[in-house]
Amino acid sequence: MARAALIEHRPWLVASMVAAGLYYVLSDAPVGGVQLMALKGASVALLAIYALRRAPATSDGRLIALVMALGALGDLAIELDFMAGGAAFAAAHLAAVLLFLRNRRPHPSPSQRLTALVLAVVTPLVSWLLSGDVAVAIYGTVLGLMAATAWLSRFGRYRVGAGAVLFVLSDGLIFSRMGPVGETVLADWLIWPLYYFGQFLIATGVVQALRRHAPAARPV
């Protein structure tokens, strides 16, 4: 049954990776903006479908699907309006914070607490220093809180926690374009892979952990 379910639902992840890869390859090609937006939005929207189908039918399972759905909305909205996209991503981060707080690690080590503190404090500070924009710093506060709570959650730090850190790094490269650093080839190459792989790690890490701790979940 488990193997059959894996084969049945793997296409959502495969389709997500294909969409993400195509978007990355075609982003500089003479392809219509609508088609690129569709690929971009589909990359994380398919992760939301994967989470909805594979996670247990619990509030946590629905929350991780909501996090990915809001992320996909942010991917689309930011192409039309930077502030609207930022608002959608901030909502996704707040939903993720709720999920991670509901699944706190019982006894985090001092080093884990310190890492979480650094993520919570340094992320908004660096966001402001890179962009010089107060609104970006406020968004960075929510982003840092998401990464910090991910690191302190019971979900695997080297999957979900690492995915959150990759998200922070991707956004940091976006913010660097707004300030004195400006456009760089490195940012062009890394923003999308860091962002997508971060989302991929968060989605698959949370779903697998939820399924592992809910062996009696309904089959899907």
Side-chain angles (χ1 to χ4, degrees):
M1 177 65 70
R3 183 176 179 181
L6 179 62
I7 294 172
E8 179 184 352
H9 292 283
R10 184 179 295 165
W12 298 113
L13 292 182
V14 174
S16 171
M17 289 186 286
V18 169
L22 286 174
Y23 173 76
Y24 185 66
V25 171
L26 298 175
S27 57
D28 291 328
V31 178
V34 175
Q35 290 89 333
L36 280 178
M37 283 182 63
L39 285 172
K40 187 180 186 183
S43 301
V44 178
L46 288 164
L47 291 179
I49 296 173
Y50 160 80
L52 195 61
R53 296 292 301 274
R54 287 291 288 166
T58 63
S59 54
D60 287 339
R62 289 186 287 271
L63 265 176
I64 185 57
L66 176 63
V67 170
M68 293 297 124
L70 288 171
L73 178 62
D75 285 329
L76 294 174
I78 205 168
E79 295 295 321
L80 303 174
D81 183 86
F82 187 78
M83 293 299 292
F89 279 119
H93 297 328
L94 290 174
V97 168
L98 176 60
L99 171 64
F100 299 145
L101 288 178
R102 286 168 54 92
N103 292 273
R104 294 187 295 273
R105 186 175 297 274
H107 304 291
S109 68
S111 64
Q112 292 164 3
R113 292 178 182 273
L114 178 60
T115 301
L117 179 62
V118 169
L119 288 169
V121 173
V122 172
T123 302
L125 177 61
V126 172
S127 298
W128 180 74
L129 291 174
L130 288 174
S131 67
D133 191 310
V134 174
V136 170
I138 294 172
Y139 168 83
T141 301
V142 180
L143 175 65
L145 185 60
M146 181 277 292
T149 53
W151 199 260
L152 290 177
S153 72
R154 67 181 176 89
F155 304 120
R157 291 189 308 281
Y158 301 110
R159 176 169 288 189
V160 176
V165 171
L166 291 179
F167 202 131
V168 170
L169 293 175
S170 175
D171 274 0
L173 289 175
I174 293 175
F175 302 151
S176 70
R177 290 172 159 180
M178 304 169 62
V181 176
E183 298 282 344
T184 63
V185 174
L186 184 64
D188 292 340
W189 286 349
L190 292 182
I191 287 174
W192 178 254
L194 289 173
Y195 163 75
Y196 174 74
F197 193 46
Q199 292 280 53
F200 184 91
L201 288 176
I202 292 170
T204 57
V206 169
V207 167
Q208 289 184 14
L210 292 177
R211 288 180 65 83
R212 186 166 59 247
H213 288 89
R218 62 173 176 80
V220 292

